[in-house]
């Protein structure tokens, strides 16, 4: 057995780790309470219409997939983490949305070339570790002339800076893995797709988050519910000094973004990139 089998085994182990990371905590509540409107924004930007064949990649609990189905599209929601899909099924049923849920790796999607009219991902595919592989898959399963629409946190925005703040406390990333917020950098995404796309639109926008009384309340919420944050604290383990330092760093980050200082609560603007393009005709 050579390097190929070693690489495949390493990739399986990495994906197992990612699957477990997103299954812990309570990401469904984060999606419902922090970003409930982002999926609808993405669906509108993509121009989803009745009868469109739509794939939501790294769909989580269906933040974009459910609005796409309610718009009349034929939707498949795919994600690496089955626990999130189970929650999505329940949410779709509650909202009267009919769609298909399928466990799938964004870097190796189990769909035929050109199967979909619209391919979406709302703060999802950005967490796939190998960006070029994921970008190639997004285009492969989109028909020529079809739409790819992505919503991603930017490197300079709050979530991008949060991930950067946690990085010194986390184990080193595996070889070849790239930082998720690069998907929020227009030039990076354009480079991933190259001349395979046309009619590009890219717009940086803000999501206002004002539900926390203090920076510390936001930090503790993410410590309890957000898989990537939970994983970093787990990696710190029993080192109380490092845990306290990360506590301080995260609270200070939120404080530096708080434009509600002096009021009863914390008001933060979280920047994201809304990117849409057409797959060039083959």
């Amino acid at each position: 057995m050579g390097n190929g089998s070693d690489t495949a085994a390493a990739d399986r182990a990495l994906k197992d780790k990612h699957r477990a990371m997103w299954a812990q905590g309570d990401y469904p509540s984060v999606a419902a309470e922090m970003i409930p409107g982002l999926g609808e924004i993405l669906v509108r930007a993509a121009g989803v219409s009745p009868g469109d064949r739509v794939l939501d990649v790294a769909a989580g609990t269906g933040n974009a997939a459910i609005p796409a189905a309610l718009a009349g599209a034929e939707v498949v929601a795919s994600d690496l983490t089955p626990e999130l899909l189970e929650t999505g099924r329940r949410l779709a049923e509650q909202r009267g949305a009919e769609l298909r849920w399928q466990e799938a790796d964004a870097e190796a999607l189990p769909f035929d070339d050109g199967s979909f009219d619209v391919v979406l991902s709302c703060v999802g595919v950005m967490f796939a570790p190998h960006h070029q592989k994921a970008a190639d898959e997004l285009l492969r399963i989109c028909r020529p002339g079809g739409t790819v629409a992505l919503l991603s946190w930017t490197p300079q925005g709050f979530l991008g800076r949060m991930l950067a703040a946690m990085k010194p406390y986390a184990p080193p990333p595996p070889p070849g893995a790239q930082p998720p917020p690069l998907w929020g950098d227009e030039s990076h995404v354009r480079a991933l797709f190259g001349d395979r796309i046309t009619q590009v639109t890219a717009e940086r926008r803000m999501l206002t988050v004002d539900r926390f009384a203090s920076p510390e309340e936001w930090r503790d919420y993410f410590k309890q519910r957000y898989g990537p944050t939970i994983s970093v604290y787990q990696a710190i383990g029993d080192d109380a000094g490092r845990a306290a330092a990360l506590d301080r760093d995260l609270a200070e980050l939120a404080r530096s973004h708080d434009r509600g200082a002096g009021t009863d609560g914390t008001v933060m603007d979280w920047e994201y990139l809304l990117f849409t393009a057409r797959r060039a005709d083959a």
Side-chain angles (χ1 to χ4, degrees):
M1 304 292 281
N3 289 337
S5 60
D6 293 342
T7 301
D11 189 62
R12 282 195 301 273
L14 176 60
K15 299 301 167 57
D16 287 344
K17 186 177 178 182
H18 272 241
R19 189 179 292 113
M21 177 179 74
W22 289 106
Q24 64 188 342
D26 188 1
Y27 184 73
S29 70
V30 176
E33 295 168 11
M34 299 291 100
I35 59 169
L38 291 189
E40 292 183 17
I41 289 170
L42 183 61
V43 167
R44 285 198 301 272
V48 172
S49 301
D52 281 346
R53 300 166 300 163
V54 175
L55 177 65
D56 186 2
V57 178
T61 55
N63 191 266
I66 292 173
L70 292 173
E74 299 174 13
V75 179
V76 179
S78 68
D79 198 275
L80 191 64
T81 305
E83 291 88 346
L84 298 182
L85 296 177
E86 281 302 316
T87 300
R89 282 190 184 94
R90 292 194 296 273
L91 293 173
E93 190 173 329
Q94 291 168 12
R95 295 182 62 180
E98 292 187 9
L99 61 156
R100 181 156 65 92
W101 302 84
Q102 184 164 344
E103 187 177 340
D105 180 354
E107 297 178 4
L109 293 166
F111 307 107
D112 292 337
D113 295 0
S115 298
F116 297 94
D117 302 303
V118 182
V119 179
L120 305 171
S121 191
C122 184
V123 295
V125 76
M126 64 179 290
F127 289 98
H130 306 107
H131 295 188
Q132 192 63 62
K133 273 188 183 179
D136 291 348
E137 283 293 273
L138 295 177
L139 285 184
R140 180 185 65 78
I141 51 91
C142 182
R143 67 165 174 81
T147 298
V148 175
L150 309 171
L151 193 155
S152 310
W153 303 120
T154 66
Q156 63 272 34
F158 180 75
L159 261 291
R161 292 186 62 192
M162 182 198 79
L163 293 170
M166 296 192 304
K167 188 174 181 180
Y169 298 91
Q178 293 177 281
L182 282 178
W183 281 92
D185 181 312
E186 179 186 347
S187 62
H188 179 73
V189 183
R190 283 179 176 268
L192 292 174
F193 292 136
D195 61 3
R196 298 175 294 172
I197 57 172
T198 62
Q199 299 180 41
V200 173
T201 67
E203 183 182 352
R204 279 159 52 174
R205 296 186 182 182
M206 292 292 187
L207 170 71
T208 298
V209 176
D210 59 2
R211 68 181 307 278
F212 298 105
S214 67
E216 289 77 14
E217 184 181 305
W218 164 79
R219 176 200 65 206
D220 292 344
Y221 178 97
F222 265 58
K223 279 178 69 172
Q224 293 165 5
R225 304 192 190 202
Y226 190 61
T229 307
I230 294 168
S231 292
V232 172
Y233 277 95
Q234 288 174 341
I236 290 172
D238 296 330
D239 189 332
R242 280 174 65 76
L246 181 54
D247 278 350
R248 287 193 299 272
D249 287 352
L250 291 178
E252 283 305 314
L253 176 65
R255 192 167 286 110
S256 72
H257 279 72
D258 179 15
R259 60 178 172 84
T263 67
D264 288 339
T266 296
V267 181
M268 295 181 280
D269 293 318
W270 296 2
E271 187 182 63
Y272 61 88
L273 178 73
L274 184 62
F275 184 98
T276 67
R278 294 273 186 181
R279 180 184 161 186
D281 291 337

